[in-house]
Amino acid sequence: PPGFVESSCRSRIFWMKLNKLFLQGKFFQLEIYDPYAGPILLDEKLASRCGYVLSEDVWGNPVFRASVLGCHVANEADDLFTLTVNIKVSSFSSMRAAVTYTHPMYCSYPSWASREIVCEENYMEVSVKTDVPAVSNDYTVAWMSALPETQNVAYQQWQLMFVSPSGRKRVTVSDAVKLGYSFNNTLSRVYLRAPYHSNESDISVVSGVNMNMVTSTSMYRQRWLLLLIDTTVSCPVDGISFTDTTLTWTMPRVIPTLVVQESTFLSKNIVMGVDDQVIVNPEEKNYLLEHNETHIRITIPIGAEGGKLKSSISGGVYGVIYSIDLFLEHTWTDAGWQTTKYTVIKSITTAFMPQMPTVINNTVPEERLFNVAFGYFLPDVSLVAIAIGNVPFTPREAQYHDFKVYETLFSNRTKGFILEVSFDDPYVQKEYVNRNETKYTLLVNYTLSVGPEMTLYYHSAEVECVIADIELPEAVGSCDEENLYLTLPTFGLHQYWELYLGNTLLNRHIALTNGYLAAINSTHLILQIPLFAVGVIYEEVSFQKIKARFDVALRKVRTMETLQMFSISCSFNSSEFIICHPDGTVMISAQMKTVPGIDMSKTKLRDSSCKPREYNEAHAFFKFHVTTCGTSARFEGDHIIYENEISYEKETLPGQSIPTITRDPDYRLTILCYYQAKETLVLGAFVSDPVTSPPFGSGTMGPRSNTAAHRRVRQALNVVSRVSKDESFMEFYEPSMAILKQSVEPLFLEVELKDESSNIELYLENCWVTRSLDFSSTPRWNITVDG
């Protein structure tokens, strides 16, 4: 069929190429047509002996080459040569029902050199003109060693003399054929074709290149003639080297076994070619052909035109292999041989070159769209499957899931695969980081089909993008006559952050326990905090005004890092209250409710020396510690109850013994503070103002007859902590003094429990240092952990 077979004649070589597209899924064989014996099936043994080569070019097309001196080539006067090849194609490996295509080839080659040598992939061939001048006086060792054997040359019969390190061997032509050689003569030439690495060959190193050499003399004798022809041949077997960017083919410029007198050697022409085409200007294709006195060197960039890059997998690693079919023709003259044409045909394939695929993150955060390029690959790589978030998809399935998967071409003639995935896709991992950012993570697993072998290759990638797309909530605070209110958005609450009261998570249970009221709608949380609830900080307290503050920390769910502090501060007018602090300080504003009225300045606690700090006509304000002013303590269940009372010191008139006369009414106000008997307290070593500590305790006050008092109870103890200057614990730092310590210096800390009750024990659980008076602030450095 048209386009199936393409043939040409290059120098003295038949070239035939078959289009692989016509052979897909089929089997083929070549038969060489012999004019006398008919078609002969081509096999490896026949090919090397008869001057044939069957291989593939770098594109995978079958290529057949044949010497014009091949066994079955019709020769007309050493000028016109004809070879007919049968191409048999079948759909079966047994070649039954095969279709045969007959393809004749013609080659004209009138310009023979005195000696021509061809170094093919599977054979070496030398042909010599037989009408050469008389032998010169420059005899070689091999030539002289052959002379004694001429006496034994058979009459009118060609014989061959091989000289190798193992000795001399004289054989007939028929015996040489059995050894894999081919020898014959034409009208004007004698040729010898030899396989590589035969028993009669030898390896020699010429200018750093290993050469396979067969030293031979062809002999023919008639009554009046003794014909000796030097049919020595030598071909390179290596000389190939690679770098990451180039391949280099090096050959010796002068081969001593082929040049009788090196002093007369003259290089006439050096040309290179790719496939069957001579490259006139190699530099136009970025090839480099150079030579000096010792070497001829061809340098080809990896990936250059004329060759082919092929993808491959080795040990699970992706890489490429570069192949190119080169030939070199070197023509020289010397005194012994006049003109020698030396042709070497070389198919070169580099070693496996690993190429680590690259994942290119072209994501534009503003578009909230991952754009990931995966390259760089040759055209023989295709995407088979892609897993996103460990869920596999074919490229078609990926399109149905709103993923965009498509190929793109790069400037270096490679390609890549583009994947686009929305940040909001459920297969994208999302993590709240820093203060107001989200880290989006795309996990991708690629499955590729590589090379003509379609080997599967797997590659995983992780692409991240961090953007500031989270708005931290802003709280709004307000107050009424009895409550503080905190209003904040519910977006991100519990998902990104939580509210903390000190170090305690402010959940529904804590809110109810502390007496807070929480209301939630679709957008906001509204928290109502009574003035005297647990957690309220009293910044300023007098019998006329209370300045109260409520602080809530916004912390990250995972790291507990404090992001913001929400604080509400209001002033309240309050005429009657009791506040029990965790350090045992009690503050009371008592109101006069007697008829007739009393002088509030004369009120007192059980200890008559404990007078009001402030007073007016209707109020008295007391501040004392539970260990002073006659305060008593008792246990009731799991609580400690501290009790005192406010009374009025009556004015009496002197009378005759009993009774005493007075106009003042009775005034007694009982004060009760309730604390849990066992609880961990958070105390600061240098906090000197107790009103800045959260009110851990709550209390009640009223006439002695009041027995049903509402109790919101937490523990409060009289605990003092100090820092000693040394291990003697004799001298201590002042509370307001800054202490400078290196990280390796010891810290001498004393914690003392002032309560004298036998039912109270002190255990030091945790001790840490912060930069501020806020115990829950960060950073935090631990001194002791778990006692």
Side-chain angles (χ1 to χ4, degrees), residues 341-478:
K341 188 175 182 180
Y342 188 84
T343 303
V344 184
I345 300 174
K346 197 78 169 178
S347 294
I348 302 174
T349 299
T350 67
F352 175 80
M353 296 178 288
Q355 304 284 318
M356 180 57 67
T358 303
V359 176
I360 308 167
N361 187 2
N362 297 321
T363 300
V364 180
E366 293 74 16
E367 297 179 358
R368 298 185 60 82
L369 187 72
F370 279 111
N371 184 298
V372 182
F374 183 44
Y376 301 85
F377 298 104
L378 299 178
D380 59 359
V381 175
S382 59
L383 181 64
V384 175
I386 186 169
I388 301 173
N390 296 323
V391 179
F393 301 94
T394 65
R396 183 181 295 274
E397 290 171 343
Q399 301 289 351
Y400 292 150
H401 285 78
D402 293 330
F403 306 137
K404 288 186 178 180
V405 182
Y406 55 94
E407 291 187 4
T408 185
L409 297 178
F410 297 112
S411 58
N412 59 357
R413 294 184 298 174
T414 61
K415 71 176 183 179
F417 305 98
I418 304 294
L419 172 65
E420 293 183 359
V421 180
S422 170
F423 283 1
D424 302 313
D425 191 273
Y427 295 113
V428 174
Q429 297 180 3
K430 304 167 184 68
E431 180 184 0
Y432 171 53
V433 296
N434 304 323
R435 285 182 58 84
N436 61 337
E437 296 176 328
T438 304
K439 181 172 74 174
Y440 297 92
T441 303
L442 179 65
L443 301 178
V444 187
N445 290 285
Y446 297 91
T447 302
L448 304 178
S449 174
V450 176
E453 299 85 5
M454 293 187 291
T455 306
L456 293 183
Y457 171 70
Y458 306 95
H459 187 90
S460 60
E462 181 175 322
V463 184
E464 296 180 351
C465 185
V466 178
I467 59 174
D469 59 353
I470 294 179
E471 184 177 352
L472 288 178
E474 293 293 334
V476 177
S478 62

Side-chain angles (χ1 to χ4, degrees), residues 475-477 484-488 499 525-527 529 550 552 566 568:
V476 177
L484 299 92
Y485 296 90
L486 179 72
T487 303
L488 73 157
L499 294 178
L525 165 68
I526 303 173
L527 195 63
I529 307 99
F550 182 73
V552 175
F566 299 134
I568 315 164

Side-chain angles (χ1 to χ4, degrees), residues 10 78 137 183 197 212 232 255 271 296 353-354 357 361 429 461 464 488 503 583 608 651 682 713 761 766 773:
R10 164 64 199 146
D78 286 339
N137 294 325
F183 177 85
H197 308 295
N212 191 216
T232 297
I255 305 171
V271 297
I296 301 172
M353 296 178 288
N361 187 2
Q429 297 180 3
E464 296 180 351
L488 73 157
N503 285 324
D583 62 353
S608 59
E651 293 184 358
V682 181
V713 184
E761 295 180 347
N766 296 311
L773 297 181

